[in-house]
Structure formats: C-alpha cells, structure tokens
Amino acid sequence: MKWIYNNYEFENRINNLSWTISGKYNENINASEQDYTSKDVALYFAIMTGARHKYIEWNIVKKYLYNRIKQGYDSYTILGLVQVVLNIIVEDRVIQERPGIKDIRKRAYKDMLDGFTKVYKDDAIQKIKYVVVLEGMGKHPSVDGLSRRILNCIREIDINLPIIEILKEIDSIYTKFFEGKVVKDQDSKENSIEYKNDTDIDFDTFSDFMYEELYEDEPSEMVESEISNMSSSMLIESIGEVDIDISKNTKERVLYVDENTLNKIYNKMEHYYGKSYLNKNELKKIETKNCRNLHEGCRIHFTDGVLRSECSNIAQIKYVTRQKENNISKFRDKAKIHKRNIIKLKDSLSRILIEESETSRVYSDCGTIHANRAWRATKSSNNKIFYKDIENEKGRYVIDILLDGSGSQSRNQANVATQAYIIANALTMVGIPNRVMGFSSFMDYTILKRFKDYEDKIEKTENIFEYFCAGNNRDGLAIKSTCDGLLNRNEENKILIVLSDGKPNDIKIGKDRERSIRGEMSYRGMIGIKDTANEVRRARQQNILVLGVFTGKENDLEAQRLIYGRDFVYTKDIERFSDIVSMYLKKIIRN
C-alpha cells in the first residue's frame, strides 16, 4: 500500500531538508511531490535530491553523455555506469558530512526492497546496481568475478575529484570492461554491437568534448530524459518492480491542476514536437475519454512533427532534419533492394486481393439457369442446372502502423523508418488506406506523431523518414488513442500493427515546481504490461485485429506473450519487419 502525504508539516520538512543539503535556496527543489512507500524513503529521497544539486554539475554530465553516445557508445551501458558511479559518489559525500544519513539510507533501502515483486539481475549493469544497494544496507552479497572487478574500480574513484576527472574514470572503466562497446552502423544485422580494444580518446584533452558540445545543437531528448531520471530518482528504483493493485490506488490519488501551469506545459510540448493538428476542444474530448484510471493525469499530443507543424524551436528542427537526412541516406544505400521489396509486396497483396474479390459461381438446383447445362434436366441424374454468383463478403481493409519511438529504439531508427516506408508504399499502391504513427512520452504527455494519414497520396510516405527516437513509452495509452481513429473508419476490416520493444516504461519524475499533477503511478514492469494487454484485448473486442511485432530482448518474450497472446512475432532482424507484415496480411485476407 502506497503511503500518501497528508501532513503539510512533513512535506515542508522534507523540502527544507533538500534545500539545507544542497545549500541552493534560490533553486526550485520540491522533493515532496514524489509519493513513496514510507517516511524513511521520502526522507532519503529528499536528502539525495539536495545532494545531487550540490555535488553534481549535470550540464557537464549531459554534454559528456551526448558526446559519447554520438560517438557510438552503447547508451544502456554508459548511462547505467554513470548512474551507478554518480550515485555512489553523492551518497559517500553526503554521508561524510552527515553520518546519521547512513541509518536513514539503510531503512529506506529495506522498505523499498520489501515492496519489490521482482529484482532485475539480468546483466552486468543490473547486478552492479543490486550489489551497490545491498552494500548500502550493510550486507555483503556474493557476486561474479567480472561484476566484482568493475565494482572495485568504481570504489577506487576518489569521490573528491572534479566532475571532469570522475567522467574520465568512468570512461576508463567503460573501455576496460566493456571492451569499447560501440554501436555499429544501423544497417547491421542481428548483432548490433561491435567491440574495439582501443579507443581514440585523448585523455590529456578529455574536457574538450564539453567545449565542442557547447557550440553544437542541444543534446538529444533521450539524453535529456535520462539525465532527468538520473538526477531525480534513487538508484534503488531502477533495480526492481512493484506489482500494484491499480483499482485500489486510483481511488487514493488526488490531482492538482492549475490552468496557467497547464498552458506552460502545453507550450513546452509544442516547442519540442510542433503544434497539434487537433484543436483544444478535440484534444480535451479525447483526453477525457482515454486518460482515466492508470492514465489519469496524463495528456495526449497529436502532431505532424516539427517539420510539418508550426514550431519555433530551431534546434529541434535542425535535429529532426538531420535525422531525416540520415534515414533517407541509409535507405538510398540499398535503394534498389528496398524498391524491389516494395514492388514485391505490392504485387503479392494485389494478387491476394484480386483472388479474394473474384465472384465465386456455385451450381445448385435453384437460381439462375445455365443454358449449357439445361440438357441435364432429362438426360442426367445431376440436375444442378442453375447457378448462384457469390460475391466477396469480406469487405474493405484499413491499417494502422504504430511505431515505438522511445529512446530504446534509437539504434534501429533508420531501419524502422525504411521498413515502415516499404509497407506504407505497397499498401497505398494497392489502394488499402493506411496510417503510420510513432509514439513516445515526454513529461505528462504521450506524443503521437503522424507521419502518414489514411488518404495521403504516395508522395507523403517520405514523411516517415522523419521518425526519430527519444523519451519513454506508454504503450497502453498510445494503443487506446490510436484505436479511436480506426474505429471512426467505415472499412469492415480494421488492423493495427504495433512495432515495439515490448517494455512499456513511462516513469514520472516529480521534481519540477512547474509540475501541477501529483501522484502519478509508475508505468513500468507488470503495471505497464497489464495495462497494455488490457488495451489490446479491448481493441480486439471492438473487432480490431492487433499484431505485435517484438524487437526487444529474448528475456522479455514472456511479457510480449502476456500483451499480445498468439498474435505476435519476434524478430531479431528489424529488416524483416515488412516481410512479417506481408505474411500476416496475407493470412488475414485469405482467412
């Protein structure tokens, strides 16, 4: 059962505690906006919030991560490593100054661990996080040799070093233990990681990356989002999941909405994603219908993106333009193959549709007489001299393709855009109305980016190359909102195809004074999986055929089965996306 703040004095106390720890009384630090399981957890969160403001120069960390991910570092690994190291350094520094905090940490960690139904220990980074938490509780867990060696190197970092020197140490650990783990070109097949034994980092000029990035465009939204998570949550939150009874908790939650703040947040959304193509009344109607229960307090932003909508954010326009050019460039590298696949898919679908639309003639003992068979009436025992022409009753088709646009798909974005382009072109050529949308989450919003609408001409399919990945993903709300568009169509056969990594994950961080909505529940783990599964079932009950195409890790397959049942396909090779969709459509049309 989640503990709800109802004591103004306590809220005031933890906010003052954060300011006292940080020493920065002029900054917006509001630690009381985060609901936690106990007062000890809330106190420790307040302490860590203040300490992170005091000890970490997040702008430098942001520039470092942007530079390294841009160079090809594996984002999951380097982000996890930075999170662990900075957490240890902040904790050690604040405990040196205030030793009594150590006991609060121990109790807070125990309270949170007791609430987990599952602890993540699937890879080196997750194991390291888990060991760090147990050691913070005074325990001495056994761990494999590699993880222990990495932890020893982390512990050897001098916590009093300047942030640039700490980042240099992190870089050294990354290249030593992860063998210069670098993401390969996006056209690579199953193994999207290559390993390099040496790197070209000049540690004597290590801090030069900062000056280089200061004069470049703003860091990607994925880095912004990860830094926000890192600076506004505790390490222990990322090591497990809690199975919450949604029905009980939604009754306890209270929303605080301020019209002026809502307008500020909406303006920020337009700044990053472009103006919505729906007016405010239409949006309000959709949000009132869909943003309920688990999604209460969330909002939805329908946009055509910054390149085709009104947008004043020059940096974002440049970023999306560059990503579009990169996606098109990757397509052109294999243009002949891709164009051949478009024609192949188009021809295949055309043949099936022609076959299925043909009139079937059935002979019977009543109906329209067939002159050439009339002689059988007296000369043969086969008296079926009449016929009936049976028309195709399957009806027309309409298809929505929904692409996961969260940061977890960033290494695949050129290939995803290409495959969606192939499918949309082929469907448009054979006359099947189709829409292509991407979904991700930013702040309280689920963003649905429309790349191609149902009736758009084939030239508009090139807009799909504007696809880029950043932020989190609230799959259930995205599917629910997309289905609204399908249900408004007149076609008899409605199909929704969802490409996703199978891990709904939309964590709300309550740190900004501008935030007006409190108490949103975490949307990850079993909570997100169950909600997405419910929305898929609801869509099927409304006669929408839903196919899930899974591109994540094998150990997440069970989650995908829970969400999509039998109608899902697992592929390690994203370039097979169009083939998978082709086979599925053939099966649907023929049956």
Side-chain angles (χ1 to χ4, degrees):
M1 178 69 73
K2 181 175 282 190
W3 171 70
I4 305 296
Y5 293 115
N6 56 11
N7 187 326
Y8 174 78
E9 290 185 5
F10 183 77
E11 291 192 17
N12 208 30
R13 177 186 170 195
I14 63 174
N15 281 328
N16 287 335
L17 181 59
S18 287
W19 277 314
T20 301
I21 295 288
S22 71
K24 299 178 181 179
Y25 295 91
N26 60 336
E27 290 193 7
N28 287 336
I29 302 176
N30 201 340
S32 69
E33 287 198 4
Q34 190 76 299
D35 287 344
Y36 279 120
T37 51
S38 73
K39 287 191 174 184
D40 282 320
V41 176
L43 282 170
Y44 193 63
F45 173 74
I47 291 165
M48 290 300 290
T49 299
R52 280 189 293 262
H53 276 73
K54 179 176 183 178
Y55 298 121
I56 305 297
E57 296 170 77
W58 291 105
N59 191 48
I60 296 178
V61 177
K62 184 192 306 179
K63 300 295 184 182
Y64 164 76
L65 286 170
Y66 180 50
N67 178 276
R68 288 309 186 241
I69 291 172
K70 191 171 68 173
Q71 283 189 13
Y73 277 35
D74 178 57
S75 58
Y76 170 79
T77 305
I78 191 63
L79 285 164
L81 205 54
V82 168
Q83 184 188 22
V84 170
V85 173
L86 295 186
N87 186 84
I88 290 174
I89 286 170
V90 169
E91 284 190 332
D92 286 355
R93 283 190 184 183
V94 76
I95 288 172
Q96 273 188 4
E97 290 185 7
R98 302 167 188 267
I101 291 172
K102 194 170 184 179
D103 291 332
I104 299 174
R105 177 180 68 177
K106 185 175 181 179
R107 293 194 299 270
Y109 278 3
K110 182 181 184 302
D111 286 344
M112 290 200 75
L113 273 178
D114 287 346
F116 287 150
T117 57
K118 176 183 178 182
V119 175
Y120 307 126
K121 292 183 288 185
D122 297 333
D123 57 39
I125 294 295
Q126 289 173 348
K127 279 187 282 189
I128 289 167
K129 289 180 180 180
Y130 183 60
V131 172
V132 167
V133 167
L134 291 184
E135 288 180 344
M137 297 172 65
K139 298 184 179 182
H140 304 282
S142 59
V143 66
D144 62 273
L146 174 62
S147 299
R148 178 55 64 190
R149 290 196 298 275
I150 296 171
L151 276 164
N152 288 341
C153 286
I154 290 172
R155 290 293 187 190
E156 288 172 4
I157 297 175
D158 185 349
I159 64 171
N160 298 308
L161 288 172
I163 190 65
I164 288 287
E165 296 301 315
I166 290 170
L167 292 173
K168 184 190 294 187
E169 295 292 336
I170 293 172
D171 225 275
S172 178
I173 292 170
Y174 181 93
T175 55
K176 178 178 180 180
F177 291 101
F178 299 94
E179 299 180 298
K181 197 175 184 184
V182 177
V183 179
K184 284 171 71 175
D185 186 89
Q186 290 176 343
D187 281 332
S188 59
K189 298 289 183 181
E190 288 184 22
N191 299 317
S192 59
I193 301 294
E194 67 177 349
Y195 297 89
K196 298 183 178 179
N197 290 324
D198 4 277
T199 60
D200 54 1
I201 299 167
D202 180 0
F203 286 108
D204 293 331
T205 59
F206 182 82
S207 61
D208 287 351
F209 75 83
M210 179 182 166
Y211 300 106
E212 174 191 339
E213 298 306 332
L214 282 174
Y215 295 99
E216 293 219 353
D217 298 335
E218 295 179 9
S220 71
E221 190 188 315
M222 182 199 78
V223 173
E224 292 276 6
S225 175
E226 292 296 341
I227 287 290
S228 177
N229 284 344
M230 213 180 288
S231 62
S232 311
S233 59
M234 296 187 291
L235 178 70
I236 187 172
E237 292 180 83
S238 65
I239 70 166
E241 66 185 46
V242 182
D243 192 3
I244 298 174
D245 187 332
I246 295 171
S247 61
K248 290 180 181 178
N249 280 273
T250 51
K251 295 177 183 177
E252 295 174 341
R253 292 165 57 244
V254 180
L255 301 182
Y256 299 85
V257 181
D258 175 77
E259 192 66 31
N260 185 48
T261 304
L262 286 178
N263 289 332
K264 285 182 180 179
I265 295 174
Y266 181 74
N267 291 336
K268 186 178 287 188
M269 195 58 46
E270 287 189 333
H271 182 67
Y272 281 104
Y273 290 97
K275 194 175 181 67
S276 175
Y277 56 78
L278 299 178
N279 62 47
K280 288 189 177 180
N281 288 334
E282 291 174 308
L283 283 172
K284 189 174 182 180
K285 190 182 295 184
I286 292 170
E287 289 172 352
T288 301
K289 177 185 174 185
N290 294 336
C291 298
R292 295 173 175 272
N293 300 322
L294 189 60
H295 306 301
E296 193 172 356
C298 296
R299 290 181 284 280
I300 309 167
H301 188 64
F302 292 86
T303 179
D304 287 325
V306 297
L307 302 186
R308 291 173 288 118
S309 304
E310 183 183 329
C311 181
S312 58
N313 188 339
I314 303 302
Q316 189 76 343
I317 290 171
K318 287 170 66 178
Y319 175 78
V320 177
T321 300
R322 188 165 62 240
Q323 185 57 51
K324 181 179 180 179
E325 290 170 351
N326 181 60
N327 290 340
I328 291 174
S329 174
K330 298 292 183 184
F331 175 85
R332 286 174 178 162
D333 287 345
K334 298 180 180 178
K336 289 184 179 179
I337 296 173
H338 297 320
K339 288 177 180 177
R340 192 159 57 241
N341 288 337
I342 292 172
I343 299 302
K344 179 182 172 184
L345 178 56
K346 187 263 296 186
D347 290 344
S348 177
L349 291 173
S350 294
R351 282 195 299 272
I352 297 169
L353 289 171
I354 290 170
E355 290 170 7
E356 295 301 317
S357 63
E358 288 178 350
T359 300
S360 301
R361 177 160 290 186
V362 178
Y363 292 98
S364 65
D365 52 9
C366 64
T368 305
I369 192 167
H370 193 285
N372 292 340
R373 287 181 166 233
W375 63 270
R376 296 187 182 187
T378 57
K379 302 291 185 179
S380 172
S381 59
N382 183 355
N383 59 359
K384 292 184 178 180
I385 61 174
F386 300 92
Y387 68 86
K388 295 178 181 179
D389 286 337
I390 300 175
E391 302 289 339
N392 168 37
E393 297 180 355
K394 290 186 177 178
R396 299 163 298 161
Y397 295 85
V398 61
I399 296 172
D400 254 312
I401 300 171
L402 189 58
L403 307 174
D404 180 355
S406 64
S408 61
Q409 293 280 25
S410 57
R411 69 185 63 176
N412 288 326
Q413 49 197 1
N415 286 329
V416 171
T418 294
Q419 296 301 307
Y421 177 81
I422 290 170
I423 297 165
N425 262 282
L427 292 173
T428 305
M429 285 178 178
V430 298
I432 297 178
N434 63 94
R435 180 174 63 167
V436 182
M437 300 185 79
F439 71 96
S440 60
S441 297
F442 180 63
M443 298 176 68
D444 297 316
Y445 279 85
T446 287
I447 299 101
L448 287 163
K449 286 179 281 189
R450 182 177 63 180
F451 302 113
K452 180 191 177 299
D453 208 355
Y454 297 113
E455 308 302 337
D456 283 346
K457 294 182 179 178
I458 200 162
E459 294 79 15
K460 295 287 187 71
T461 55
E462 190 167 309
N463 296 333
I464 294 170
F465 290 116
E466 294 171 17
Y467 171 80
F468 73 94
C469 302
N472 296 324
N473 52 313
R474 185 171 281 258
D475 296 42
L477 184 55
I479 289 172
K480 191 176 188 180
S481 303
T482 302
C483 286
D484 286 344
L486 273 175
L487 292 170
N488 289 331
R489 298 289 300 183
N490 294 322
E491 289 82 3
E492 294 84 354
N493 302 291
K494 299 172 174 63
I495 300 171
L496 173 62
I497 299 165
V498 185
L499 175 75
S500 172
D501 66 357
K503 292 183 72 174
N505 181 34
D506 186 26
I507 305 301
K508 292 289 178 278
I509 304 300
K511 79 178 183 74
D512 193 332
R513 193 179 288 273
E514 286 187 355
R515 290 282 309 284
S516 62
I517 297 179
R518 295 172 23 167
E520 291 101 337
M521 295 169 60
S522 290
Y523 192 83
R524 65 177 177 184
M526 285 306 299
I527 296 172
I529 290 167
K530 287 179 180 178
D531 175 68
T532 307
N534 286 337
E535 294 306 333
V536 169
R537 281 196 294 273
R538 185 174 288 112
R540 288 172 177 162
Q541 288 167 0
Q542 295 171 312
N543 295 319
I544 296 174
L545 299 169
V546 184
L547 170 70
V549 180
F550 175 53
T551 61
K553 298 177 181 177
E554 285 189 45
N555 55 6
D556 293 320
L557 272 171
E558 189 56 38
Q560 196 76 349
R561 289 192 183 95
L562 287 171
I563 293 172
Y564 293 101
R566 295 179 183 176
D567 286 333
F568 88 94
V569 178
Y570 172 47
T571 178
K572 292 182 180 179
D573 183 2
I574 194 63
E575 291 190 6
R576 292 200 62 240
F577 182 37
S578 59
D579 293 333
I580 290 166
V581 171
S582 171
M583 290 186 288
Y584 179 73
L585 293 178
K586 289 176 190 175
K587 177 184 173 184
I588 292 299
I589 294 170
R590 280 180 170 152
N591 292 337

